[in-house]
Amino acid sequence: MGITNSIINYRRSLKRHNYSKYTVRNYVCTLRQFVIWLDVPIEAATHKKMLSFIDHLLAKRLKPKTINCYLDSIRGFYDYLIYEEQLKMQNPVKLGDALRMSKPLPRFLNDEQVRALFAQIDDPRDFAIFKLMLRCGLRVQEVAKLTLAAVDLKRGQVFVYHGKGAKDRVVYLSKDAYQALLAYLKVRPHSRVKRVFLVNKGRFRGQPLNVRGIQYRMKYYSKKAGFKVSCHQLRHTMATQMLNADADLVTIQDLLGHAYIRTTERYCRVSNQKVRRDYYQAMEKVVERHSPGGKKQLDNDEILIN
């Protein structure tokens, strides 16, 4: 079997199934590393050999999430060989091989940290970028790929095309996000480039600002603010703030583009002020009913009911 041709065909299969270019690139890269490590023909790999490969990755001190990504790509490749190239063999990667991962709660910024961070941002472009993340819950890749055609200022909304999982969604502009975006568009460098956010200066002036550039700017401002912040934390902060403002969980799920509601439910375990308010309101009633005066009222109510 020509392994090179099989990998090329597998890559084409991933594209046909509408996997993002990042996923395709990562799958092919990890698959090549597996093929280089493997000391037997690809079709002769066994489950025992896969366990040895997992041990090899653990010895390299890779994180469980990274190792599971390796297993996903390899399992998908063998599924392709079995079902599309009709290779008669068993998939050596079993579902139970995935490593158990911890599920840390989302990290978010409190109100003081948000104010301190944005107080350091004096560039209209950067202010608009991070305000969109904070108010619209956009991922850094979504901000980098945002086009002028996707911004509807009249309706105060932004169309997110081909987000994570190749899903589209609509998010809405708060007043401060609208003003920040409008202020940047007035000073945006003249360019035929369709992307909203461009490089401001230097020899790449007028070219699209990439993900690394945005992350670098966040690192710069977080250092000035005196605490560590990531771009994704602004997205977590938006979700937490909306939850504490009594927004419906399904609404937050739709705005964030989560495929499963259980992903959004993780924010309920972080800082749910609504639960806090409901608890104290209910507990006040409980305490009143079990206080000496409340006990008498409770007995009278029970007599009326009986």
Side-chain angles (χ1 to χ4, degrees), residues 3-13 32 77 80:
I3 185 62
T4 302
N5 289 335
S6 294
I7 292 177
I8 292 173
N9 292 334
Y10 175 56
R11 184 172 179 269
R12 291 171 180 166
S13 175
R32 284 174 178 165
F77 177 63
Y80 165 77

Side-chain angles (χ1 to χ4, degrees), residues 68-87:
N68 288 343
C69 289
Y70 272 81
L71 297 179
D72 286 340
S73 63
I74 297 169
R75 183 189 300 112
F77 177 63
Y78 277 105
D79 282 342
Y80 165 77
L81 294 178
I82 294 169
Y83 297 109
E84 294 197 31
E85 293 202 359
Q86 304 299 312
L87 191 65

Side-chain angles (χ1 to χ4, degrees), residues 196-220:
V196 173
F197 297 106
L198 308 178
V199 177
N200 285 337
K201 54 187 177 181
R203 63 193 181 108
F204 295 110
R205 175 181 167 84
Q207 295 300 310
L209 184 66
N210 60 24
V211 169
R212 292 295 183 191
I214 296 174
Q215 291 172 335
Y216 177 80
R217 298 304 293 167
M218 172 55 78
K219 184 178 180 181
Y220 169 76

